[in-house]
Amino acid sequence: MPIDLQETLVSPRATKKTLAGFEMPVLGYGVYEVPDAVAEDGVEKALKAGYRHIDSARCYENETGCAAAIRKAGLKRSDVFLTTKLNPDDPGILVHTPWGGKEGRLGAWRALVEAQKAGQARSIGVSNFGVHHLEELEEYISHGGGGRIEVGQYELHPWLARAELVDWLRERGAIVQAYSPLTRGTRLGDPILQALGKKHHRSPVQILIRWSLQMVRQAIGVAGFVPLPKTTTAERIAENADVFDFALDEDDMKLLHTGEYSPTDSLWDPTVERD
């Protein structure tokens, strides 16, 4: 199935529909490890630049700043899609990690389902679950646990494409979100990335975001991750959103198929935990 590039040439407000029927903007703004006051300023800048999707987490301790920024930007809460992640013992829209053992994971999921039924969360999902964790959860759901895995959030970039995980989620209709899509800056000097930047007259960062937006598994025919780039600089916030008037061609995407499995933090990959 060919890639429909026009599908990705839209705007940061273009959306993907969750299984529950809610529209998630295809480009998000991440605030990982950003202090609350700084996050407030960054989110306000992002909203003014056109972003309508913010990614936070309880452990980031900046959800209050995110909410304040939405108010300061003069937007209704319903105007902004907020993804947040909580640990297995403190559940929210996404379970942040599979840590806590089977009992903790399934207990967190039960609370998510209850929150969704109560209207406290629109769509629910997981973050950093390996396929074995996902299959455990799917079995629980199929035996009456309730809910659906609507979103999966992972570190994703050309050096960590996680094909098996991505396929598992997409085959079930889940949206795949990509955190650290810019490799935390560790790969921006890569020769292929630099060459593609020159070819398209774009920065390496913009090339990486385009890769994420266009990342297709041909056998499934579903286009694109939802990248969640992080920066607190106004110019870079705008630059990260300025990616909807060009596209990588098929040869470009092949060049970025590295086959590597390289998390930016070699000590942080909960997907492989076996408990």
Side-chain angles (χ1 to χ4, degrees), residues 85 94-98 125-129 151-154 179 270:
K85 304 174 292 295
L94 303 186
V95 183
H96 202 161
T97 73
V126 298
S127 179
N128 298 306
F129 275 42
V151 184
Q153 187 182 114
Y154 295 87
Y179 72 76

Side-chain angles (χ1 to χ4, degrees), residues 106 109 134-149 172:
L106 299 185
W109 186 257
L134 292 168
E135 290 179 342
E136 170 192 270
L137 179 54
E138 184 176 56
E139 180 180 8
Y140 174 74
I141 292 171
S142 70
H143 286 82
R148 291 180 292 184
I149 303 171
R172 290 155 177 81

Side-chain angles (χ1 to χ4, degrees), residues 244-259:
F244 293 93
D245 59 353
F246 83 102
L248 302 176
D249 61 34
E250 188 174 351
D251 289 337
D252 297 336
M253 294 297 287
K254 286 180 179 178
L255 285 172
L256 289 170
H257 180 69
T258 69

Side-chain angles (χ1 to χ4, degrees), residues 190-202:
D190 181 85
I192 292 175
L193 204 55
Q194 290 286 327
L196 290 176
K198 291 179 181 178
K199 173 182 175 179
H200 292 281
H201 306 288
R202 297 288 173 151

Side-chain angles (χ1 to χ4, degrees), residues 197-212:
K198 291 179 181 178
K199 173 182 175 179
H200 292 281
H201 306 288
R202 297 288 173 151
S203 70
V205 162
Q206 291 171 314
I207 298 298
L208 285 173
I209 294 174
R210 281 303 312 179
W211 176 88
S212 199

